[in-house]
Amino acid sequence: MAHMIPPNPPTSGPGAAAEKLLYDALARLDDEWFVYHRLAYVRDGVGEGEADFLVLHRNQGLLVIECKGAGVRRTGDGVWVREGDDDRTEQLKESPMVQAERHVRQLVGELDQRLQALPQTLGQTDGFPFVFGHAVAFPRETLAAGPLPLDMPRALVFDATALGQLAARIPEALAFWARTAGRRVLALPPPQFMAFRRKCLHPTLHICRSLGADMAAEDQMLVRLSAEQIRVAELWQTLQRFRVQGGAGTGKTLLAIETAKRMAEQGARVLFVCFNIYLAREAATRFAQEPPVLGSVTALHFHALCQQAAGLLGRSFKAPEDPLAAAQFWTETAPNHLLDALTEGVQPHFDAIVVDEGQDFEAAWWYVLEQCQPHPGKGRLAVFFDPGQDIFDRAVPVPDLPTLVLSYNYRNTKSIADCLRLLVETAAQSLPESPDGEPPQLHDQSSAAEIRKTVARIIERAVAAGQVRPEQITLLTPRSRKNSSLAGQVELAGLRLADDPGSRSGALLHTTIGKFKGLESDFVILLDIDPEDERCSRKARYVAASRARMRLHVCSKGSWLRGA
């Protein structure tokens, strides 16, 4: 699968339906391809623009694709128009091919200028290092047989029938431009290719957090970089082993990912490990999008690491059905597979280990993790944790290491953060400049039928107002799907319910508090909250509520802050 940046397809804006079709088709390219969607740029003295798609390959080159939706056509007198739903036509300012050519010319000009300013990035190069060109896509249209306009060679035009053939069609288009320019296709070495993407095409703003002023103005977000976060990111340069404690919203996961990246940039083989499956998957996606030039980062949740080790030993990895036996399997048997694989030399060691969600790890797991390094107890180790999020009540102390405490909440509005401090003493305080936001809204947790109506109304109002997209909304429950108030539902308020954060485009995510721990959402609705239920402990409510960045609705039996 291609590396898609950003990792989610388009959901709104002109031409979104056509762009989603092309996005999904491009995603099926192999992992040697990098696809940048809606890549905006500004070039001094030339202008600004946004390329619908920029497709990049280390060997093949760079192709800018202009994507057009249904209704775009060329009239008999050579004018390009767009037909609306009301049968009115609007003349386009320029043809799709001219538009694509302009984007690639300006983008390559800017990228080449950046390369000249950073000669050490690619060493000595003779001009721009890639074959480059442009193409046009009509994913919702089928072109008629026969000749195309003179400025539209068929090799550079992709219609609906080409979507399943892009693995061949895109190299064909780049080969066209190589012949046109009289250039030979050269393979850029992997380190230089990574450096080009990281330093020139898509540089990272390190450890930036965004706070929405409100839900109606999320495109005007304030980016900040805190002094204490900079200190954490630099800690590994002065300390071999350290830990970072912080409440929900202090940016621990962001910092853990950044710490792993920086360690890898020095050539280290790094293990990023956490407890949550979805969190590990998100971290792995980020590392894949921006892989280190020198070292490497392996991102896994702890039991996936154990399962990988069992596979290396040729052992099965399946938990018993009996609950007590299953608990013993996950706590003892699974990590023993990892320990055995290390002892037998089939499990590779890591130079450095970064642990997120450290409060969720059993005591024995720390010993096993230490054995994952060539010199146990002496290798680089960074642990990020929050005692307030110990929803499994393990009460296991993390390794006693030099500690930095994060004190500010960068995720939640002040109104939500105020409630978090009522639930857990270790909750972080808000920054003075954080948005106030709306107070969390409480709804009575009545019958399942009434709850479905209530939640549907909340969603309809939010989506209808045009301020919230479905994928910004998350429904959290302490219960399993089949036992929640939404049992048997496949959609709500006319929107699909998704179980996996990775497949929530255009859908509402419905999952458990435990599975969503470590992640965040702009708009959260908590269901099935009963402070008398052990599954709704203060820590569980704290974890659940802290996932909400800007809006929080709670369906509870009585006050959800009871016992605080």
Side-chain angles (χ1 to χ4, degrees):
M1 180 176 178
H3 301 274
M4 306 300 293
I5 304 165
N8 296 311
T11 58
S12 61
E19 288 182 27
K20 184 178 188 308
L21 287 172
L22 184 55
Y23 182 103
D24 291 340
L26 291 169
R28 293 193 290 272
L29 296 172
D30 66 42
D31 61 7
E32 291 291 319
W33 293 93
F34 290 79
V35 179
Y36 297 84
H37 173 239
R38 292 186 180 177
L39 182 64
Y41 63 88
V42 177
R43 191 172 181 214
D44 186 24
V46 177
E48 60 184 281
E50 182 180 272
D52 290 338
F53 292 91
L54 184 149
V55 184
L56 180 68
H57 191 284
R58 183 171 69 88
N59 303 342
Q60 305 284 349
L62 180 155
L63 186 70
V64 168
I65 305 176
E66 180 67 23
C67 182
K68 292 303 180 184
V72 173
R73 64 181 179 84
R74 184 176 183 268
T75 65
D77 54 4
V79 176
W80 283 89
V81 297
R82 176 185 292 109
E83 294 179 344
D85 294 334
D86 55 2
D87 293 331
R88 283 194 245 175
T89 60
E90 170 193 3
Q91 182 173 337
L92 302 185
K93 295 180 180 178
E94 54 190 350
S95 76
M97 196 62 81
V98 169
Q99 190 175 3
E101 188 277 333
R102 174 172 55 82
H103 286 316
V104 75
R105 174 168 36 84
Q106 293 182 359
L107 273 167
V108 168
E110 175 63 24
L111 292 172
D112 192 41
Q113 187 173 328
R114 292 188 175 199
L115 282 173
Q116 299 305 319
L118 294 170
Q120 73 277 14
T121 299
L122 293 175
Q124 298 298 322
T125 59
D126 183 15
F128 193 68
F130 298 100
V131 168
F132 61 88
H134 57 277
V136 176
F138 301 91
R140 302 181 67 187
E141 307 284 359
T142 300
L143 299 180
L148 296 177
L150 291 173
D151 65 340
M152 298 182 71
R154 193 167 286 275
L156 306 182
V157 182
F158 309 142
D159 65 0
T161 64
L163 295 183
Q165 307 165 4
L166 293 184
R169 292 295 308 277
I170 290 178
E172 179 186 340
L174 286 167
F176 172 95
W177 288 114
R179 292 191 301 272
T180 301
R183 295 190 56 175
R184 187 163 56 93
V185 178
L186 300 175
L188 199 64
Q192 284 85 343
F193 180 63
M194 292 182 190
F196 170 78
R197 292 190 303 101
R198 290 177 63 102
K199 304 293 185 182
C200 299
L201 177 58
H202 200 243
T204 301
L205 287 176
H206 291 294
I207 328 181
C208 292
R209 287 300 297 170
S210 299
L211 291 172
D214 55 37
M215 294 294 287
E218 57 185 302
D219 61 334
Q220 309 221 348
M221 306 184 83
L222 180 61
V223 178
R224 354 184 153 274
L225 184 64
S226 83
E228 67 178 0
Q229 285 181 321
I230 293 176
R231 285 175 56 205
V232 173
E234 300 296 339
L235 262 182
W236 72 270
Q237 296 184 2
T238 56
L239 296 173
Q240 281 283 99
R241 300 162 67 81
F242 62 93
R243 65 182 189 178
V244 178
Q245 177 178 340
T250 53
K252 294 186 302 302
T253 294
L254 183 71
L255 290 166
I257 290 173
E258 184 64 23
T259 298
K261 284 182 178 180
R262 295 194 179 197
M263 287 179 173
E265 285 292 349
Q266 299 300 310
R269 294 164 300 169
V270 183
L271 170 65
F272 177 96
V273 62
C274 59
F275 184 80
N276 187 290
I277 296 175
Y278 293 149
L279 178 58
R281 187 190 302 170
E282 180 173 309
T285 299
R286 295 194 189 188
F287 293 131
Q289 290 172 353
E290 296 294 338
V293 173
L294 294 178
S296 62
V297 184
T298 299
L300 294 167
H301 64 92
F302 181 73
H303 288 114
L305 181 64
C306 298
Q307 184 176 15
Q308 174 181 282
L312 293 173
L313 292 167
R315 299 176 181 175
S316 64
F317 192 86
K318 185 177 182 181
E321 293 185 3
D322 176 71
L324 292 178
Q328 184 178 19
F329 174 85
W330 295 117
T331 303
E332 301 176 15
T333 307
N336 281 338
H337 288 314
L338 177 56
L339 195 57
D340 290 346
L342 290 163
T343 302
E344 296 188 21
V346 296
Q347 169 66 46
H349 287 89
F350 297 93
D351 302 316
I353 298 177
V354 177
V355 181
D356 197 13
E357 302 182 304
Q359 74 281 346
D360 294 335
F361 282 61
E362 296 279 358
W365 300 357
W366 291 109
Y367 172 78
V368 177
L369 281 177
E370 290 280 15
Q371 305 310 305
C372 289
Q373 295 183 303
H375 304 289
K378 297 181 180 180
R380 289 179 179 173
L381 176 66
V383 180
F384 295 76
F385 71 108
D386 176 10
Q389 295 190 57
D390 180 18
I391 63 175
F392 304 110
D393 290 325
R394 292 198 168 104
V396 173
V398 303
D400 188 12
L401 302 170
T403 306
L404 181 69
V405 178
L406 301 175
S407 54
Y408 290 108
N409 185 325
Y410 293 85
R411 176 192 298 151
N412 313 109
T413 62
K414 289 180 180 177
S415 296
I416 295 174
D418 288 345
C419 292
L420 301 181
R421 288 195 295 275
L422 294 176
L423 289 168
V424 174
E425 293 180 359
T426 58
Q429 59 182 317
S430 299
L431 287 165
E433 58 268 42
S434 295
D436 292 331
E438 294 183 2
Q441 301 296 305
L442 178 65
H443 308 273
D444 182 43
Q445 177 71 36
S446 51
S447 68
E450 287 300 318
I451 283 297
R452 287 195 288 269
K453 292 179 182 178
T454 298
V455 175
R457 284 196 297 270
I458 296 170
I459 295 168
E460 287 169 353
R461 284 197 295 267
V463 174
Q467 297 180 345
V468 186
R469 300 187 307 276
E471 55 268 27
Q472 290 179 275
I473 302 174
T474 301
L475 297 93
L476 296 180
T477 173
R479 302 177 182 176
S480 64
R481 177 70 174 267
K482 65 180 181 180
N483 293 320
S484 78
S485 296
L486 300 184
Q489 296 291 119
V490 295
E491 66 174 29
L492 198 64
L495 297 169
R496 178 173 61 88
L497 289 176
D499 298 311
D500 188 331
S503 61
R504 66 179 305 177
S505 177
L508 308 166
L509 178 64
H510 178 217
T511 188
T512 65
I513 296 171
K515 288 183 177 180
F516 202 66
K517 191 163 66 67
L519 303 177
E520 63 182 39
S521 181
D522 290 339
F523 196 115
V524 170
I525 303 173
L526 302 186
L527 303 168
D528 308 315
I529 300 300
D530 181 359
E532 301 299 324
D533 186 340
E534 62 180 10
R535 293 168 296 187
C536 297
S537 66
R538 282 198 303 168
K539 287 183 178 179
R541 283 175 272 158
Y542 163 69
V543 167
S546 64
R547 303 307 97 195
R549 295 184 64 247
M550 291 177 280
R551 294 293 182 274
L552 175 64
H553 289 257
V554 184
C555 299
S556 173
K557 290 186 177 180
S559 172
W560 70 287
L561 297 174
R562 195 185 322 162

